[in-house]
Amino acid sequence: MAVIQAEPFPFPLDVAHAALIVIDMQRDFIEPGGFGASLGNDVTLLQAIVPTARRLLEGCRAAGMTVIHTRECHRPDLSDCPPAKRERGAPALRIGDPGPMGRVLIAGEPGAEIISELAPRPGETVIDKPGKGAFYATELGAILAAKGVRQLIVAGVTTEVCVQTTMREANDRGYDCVLAVDATESYFPAFKAATLAMIAAQGAIVGWTASTDAILEALR
Ligand code: TIU
């Protein structure tokens, strides 16, 4: 068994029963004019992790690991978007409004697509999710069970929103999760730092954290 040098202690990686899950690396969060920018965020912060996320993705692919991608998006008729989510706050554009990358956060629109650098390959699972967590109202749990997956390596955006929510959902379902600290990012550096700390605190209360290099080293 490979071992990832992780916090708060080493993580025993069982590649045959592990999956990489890349959360919401979509144009809507990473490029100007999308959902993330409409909320008032500086999206350039997120662009910085793309090369590292790609290195992690390619390393996991080369190791033969199951790869899952998620996309936060809604049906065109908004039937899976709670009014509370659409109507909260005062964003520049609301979910479903027309923007420079098509309708904001709507499945099938250019903005909802995963950025080209991290595009899914044939055979990789893509989960469209209406919530922040990837298990809520999706087939993710059933898909992981069918593949025999028990461990998740987690990357993507944003650290304290969809990534952390997914890790907490997974943790409660019995998965061991490792977050790749340099392949995840937040619009708020302080929130990212706090999230990394709270995941690993109390003896890995939510999971582990490790660098992409440490994960790739364990895969070699
Ligand atoms: N706003 C924010 O930080 N994130 C989200 O709305 N979704 C995800 O994290 N994917």
Side-chain angles (χ1 to χ4, degrees), residues 81-168:
C81 182
K85 180 176 182 181
R86 184 166 193 273
E87 290 162 14
R88 192 172 302 158
L93 293 171
R94 293 191 189 275
I95 295 168
D97 285 349
M101 292 189 286
R103 293 179 66 202
V104 172
L105 221 60
I106 297 296
E109 298 287 336
E113 291 306 318
I114 293 170
I115 59 171
S116 57
E117 296 92 324
L118 303 176
R121 287 200 183 149
E124 295 176 352
T125 300
V126 180
I127 302 277
D128 283 349
K129 62 189 195 37
K132 303 306 182 190
F135 287 83
Y136 168 69
T138 74
E139 298 298 318
L140 178 59
I143 290 168
L144 295 177
K147 292 177 181 291
V149 170
R150 301 306 316 153
Q151 302 181 332
L152 297 175
I153 294 177
V154 186
V157 297
T158 61
T159 313
E160 80 282 10
V161 184
C162 291
V163 172
Q164 178 172 213
T165 303
T166 298
M167 280 188 77
R168 288 177 181 276

